[in-house]
Amino acid sequence: MVKVVRAYTNIALIKYWGKADRRLKIPCNSSLSLTLDQFYTETSVNYDTSLESDVFLLDGVLVDNKVSRRVFEFMDVVRERYNIKEYARIESYNHVPQEAGLASSASAFAALAKASTLHLNLDDEEVSRLARLGSGSASRSIYGGFVVWNRGSQHDDSYAKPIEMEPWHDFRMVVCILNDGLKPYPSSVAMNVTQDESPYFDAWVCEAQNDIEQMTTYVINHDIENVGLLAQKNALKMHASLMAANMWYFEPKTLEIMNIVRELQKTIPVYFTMDAGPNVKIMTTEEHVDVLLEHLRDVKTVVCKPGKGIEVYDR
């Protein structure tokens, strides 16, 4: 019987953007996210003494490119940290468009971190630390609901934890998929360029770190207006820091949806956020979803609820 791990994507309301330690992926600021229920990755890892190297299949196809190299480098880290001798056959099915700003790496490396260490029975904090080494945002996809990734200052204290709160059942995030192709530059590249070249980067870090405490309070209180406004401002600040380095992800349709949301804000609680990509995510509550969708008839949308943490099942 093969054990399969399912991990869901997360979308940050307070963004992770910039690394204090690029090798260990220690962030410059803490971040806060929501795990979604509609986008996920399923992965199995089977160690085999007969293998002379790792083997990676993505969606049933043998992969040997930059994606596989990133996976193999992560597996080398796993072997070194936990004294594992064997290579592995890794099979992954990704139910998220890759490199489109929909957090495919978060679910992918969260699932891989758990699947590669199932036999070790690691606790969630340790799996979160490990997942961070593959993709920073993957540290948050270990958990369901609203999650904070504490920036820390070294490997041991940089990990995510769920926010202790009453479930926010009527919170909704409407994902607008405008372009599910590859974005013009990977988020890690854009992040590093921003950190190295943007005159706004230091201000971004200070502002983002200050936003965390406020956002945590708003989320615990189920305060959709303040959650939405702060998340929207935080996303705009992140993108402003990137644009000051002469890079951007906005497309014409991106701006069109942002303007639709801004107009709707005059009457109902709807707010946008954006990650490294052109696709817009809109925060609201269940009662306002239908009105919002009426204004997005020509847009491919996916309505998401708060999702679960990592799951393990037999295949």
Side-chain angles (χ1 to χ4, degrees), residues 17 189-198 201 238 241-242 245:
W17 196 246
V189 171
M191 188 183 298
N192 290 343
V193 170
T194 303
Q195 188 170 352
D196 293 341
E197 300 181 14
S198 176
F201 183 75
M238 186 200 89
S241 72
L242 173 64

Side-chain angles (χ1 to χ4, degrees), residues 80-112:
E80 179 182 356
R81 285 187 173 271
Y82 302 107
N83 195 29
I84 297 170
K85 305 300 183 184
E86 299 83 10
Y87 290 105
R89 178 183 174 89
I90 305 141
E91 296 189 54
S92 190
Y93 290 86
N94 203 21
H95 301 268
V96 193
Q98 294 185 55
E99 296 189 26
L102 294 170
S104 60
S105 66
S107 59
F109 280 98
L112 183 57

